[in-house]
Amino acid sequence: MSPRRRIVSAVLCLLAAVTGCKKEAPAAPATPTIGLVLGLGGRGDHSFNDSALRGLELWAAGKTYEKAGYQEAPAQELAPLGITPMVLQSRVAEDYEPNLQLLADQHVSLAMGVGFMLENAVETVARRNPSLPFLLVDSPLLDAQGRVLTLPNVRTVVFREEEGCFLAGALAGLVTKTGRVGMVGGMKIPLVERYEAGFRAGVAATNPSATVLVNYTGSFTDFALGKQVGQDLLLKNTDVVFAAAGVDGLGAIQAVKEAREAGKAVSVIGVDSDPSHLAPEAVLSAVVKHVDRVVYEAIRDQRQGRFQGGNVSLGLKEGGMGLAPVRLDFPGKAEALKTVDALRARIVSGELKVPTRVEAVQAAGANP
């Protein structure tokens, strides 16, 4: 320390001793901070991450994200909850744990991770910070044997994806004219295989003679690969493609968009969020996971002192899944939508059980 700084420090100490003043504690933040760690693909994926951001930023915080920072958003259907968002991007999976720990170190009121790939990181950081509540979307916590476990400070939310995908498949079976529909999957894991099982079962329910072609990219972050796989399915005469592969799925949507612009009568069904703004002339619908509402409700519960750990499963009955509006016109549209809605009612009532395994669908006689 320089002589000048020593003098200043001594004077300040003397004044404190004489006046009895104490160092003031830092002011509490005006609003509680809610933290979110995004999955790979990040902001701008027009899918899972963007849905979570909508729940946190637009609805809970009443903000829109701009390059210059957060701006006040127009009034929304859900009232803002008086929070400040803190969003961390993960470039690789190894970023998940340090990002979640950074949220804890920043004393957020609630830490959230979106995507099944954050499961291990959420468990590790939640055990390390037992007084901090966590939300994990799209996966339960699992022990070393793969059994579901619970922590008192962690709420996990999973979706019955097969139910929404069944409706998408049913719609595709009614729309196809070639009798061949396709699916672009990401990583071939149980989560995405439930998408395939539901989709195949839905196609079989409305068009048992149709053929379903499925290609997995092995990725969720490769736009070019998704486009390539989508183009390959179109070359095989599929005229409805289900894009269920994150950023890879955006590539598949682009492939269908370009084919549609070239005059082909093809369409695409998105996943997680409605991508119709990306290709309004090509997007038939989307299997929507209401991640935005899950995030908003977790923040609301934390703010009201009602947040609890545990496992939550959401499907059509609970409003956790659904189909985006069908905006494209096609022959027999009104009757097709009635058929899909009737199938939805049977699932909600419990009359119709949607299979979660592809083998079960094939055993029931659906075409490969």
Side-chain angles (χ1 to χ4, degrees):
M1 183 182 291
S2 67
R4 180 180 177 84
R5 288 187 176 180
R6 287 196 194 96
I7 293 171
V8 172
S9 179
V11 170
L12 291 175
C13 289
L14 178 61
L15 287 172
V18 171
T19 62
C21 294
K22 296 181 180 179
K23 183 179 179 181
E24 293 184 2
T31 60
T33 299
I34 306 296
L36 171 64
V37 175
L38 297 175
L40 301 183
R43 187 186 295 275
D45 68 349
H46 301 281
S47 187
F48 201 85
N49 288 299
D50 279 358
S51 183
L53 288 167
R54 181 165 54 250
L56 170 65
E57 296 175 337
L58 187 62
W59 293 353
K63 306 287 186 183
T64 57
Y65 179 81
E66 309 290 346
K67 289 184 178 179
Y70 283 115
Q71 307 295 325
E72 293 296 323
Q76 300 294 313
E77 58 180 295
L78 298 175
L81 299 172
I83 60 99
T84 297
M86 178 181 291
V87 179
L88 300 181
Q89 173 62 59
S90 303
R91 296 184 181 276
V92 294
E94 289 75 16
D95 291 338
Y96 293 148
E97 184 178 330
N99 277 345
L100 286 165
Q101 185 57 52
L102 178 58
L103 294 182
D105 295 341
Q106 293 296 314
H107 305 292
V108 298
S109 298
L110 171 65
M112 302 184 292
V114 293
F116 70 93
M117 295 179 69
L118 279 89
E119 184 261 324
N120 289 333
V122 168
E123 180 186 350
T124 299
V125 180
R127 289 185 184 276
R128 192 185 299 150
N129 301 271
S131 62
L132 175 62
F134 287 79
L135 172 70
L136 173 61
V137 182
D138 222 29
S139 175
L141 298 180
L142 301 172
D143 65 15
Q145 287 73 43
R147 296 171 302 200
V148 175
L149 61 87
T150 60
L151 293 177
N153 61 325
V154 181
R155 175 186 294 180
T156 64
V157 179
V158 297
F159 298 89
R160 299 193 293 280
E161 293 90 358
E162 67 278 1
E163 295 181 356
C165 295
F166 181 93
L167 299 185
L171 179 63
L174 293 165
V175 170
T176 182
K177 297 303 179 185
T178 66
R180 297 169 71 85
V181 301
M183 172 181 163
V184 179
M187 295 180 181
K188 193 169 184 179
I189 55 176
L191 173 68
V192 184
E193 288 181 316
R194 290 202 297 273
Y195 282 80
E196 180 183 348
F199 185 69
R200 285 183 179 277
V203 173
T206 59
N207 193 341
S209 64
T211 298
V212 181
L213 303 178
V214 179
N215 284 342
Y216 283 87
T217 65
S219 163
F220 290 118
T221 59
D222 194 330
F223 181 94
L225 180 57
K227 182 177 179 181
Q228 178 183 336
V229 172
Q231 290 171 330
D232 180 65
L233 287 173
L234 294 174
L235 288 173
K236 293 176 179 176
N237 206 31
T238 62
D239 59 352
V240 183
V241 174
F242 180 32
V247 174
D248 298 40
L250 297 183
I253 291 172
Q254 181 64 24
V256 177
K257 178 177 182 288
E258 292 177 4
R260 183 91 177 194
E261 290 171 345
K264 291 188 175 181
V266 294
S267 59
V268 64
I269 298 173
V271 78
D272 293 339
S273 292
D274 184 357
S276 58
H277 60 288
L278 299 175
E281 300 304 317
V283 173
L284 178 64
S285 184
V287 179
V288 177
K289 281 184 178 179
H290 293 296
V291 178
D292 43 16
R293 189 169 291 273
V294 167
V295 166
Y296 178 88
E297 291 177 354
I299 298 170
R300 180 200 61 197
D301 290 351
Q302 189 279 328
R303 295 287 286 130
Q304 296 177 353
R306 298 189 292 111
F307 185 93
Q308 292 182 330
N311 303 314
V312 178
S313 174
L314 302 176
L316 295 177
K317 182 177 182 179
E318 299 81 9
M321 301 286 303
L323 279 185
V326 179
R327 297 183 175 87
L328 296 185
D329 287 326
F330 55 88
K333 178 179 178 178
E335 191 62 33
L337 295 184
K338 287 182 181 179
T339 298
V340 172
D341 194 53
L343 289 169
R344 179 189 180 280
R346 291 178 60 197
I347 295 172
V348 169
S349 71
E351 176 190 349
L352 176 57
K353 299 291 185 182
V354 181
T356 59
R357 296 173 60 251
V358 174
E359 294 83 356
V361 183
Q362 294 172 337
N367 289 326

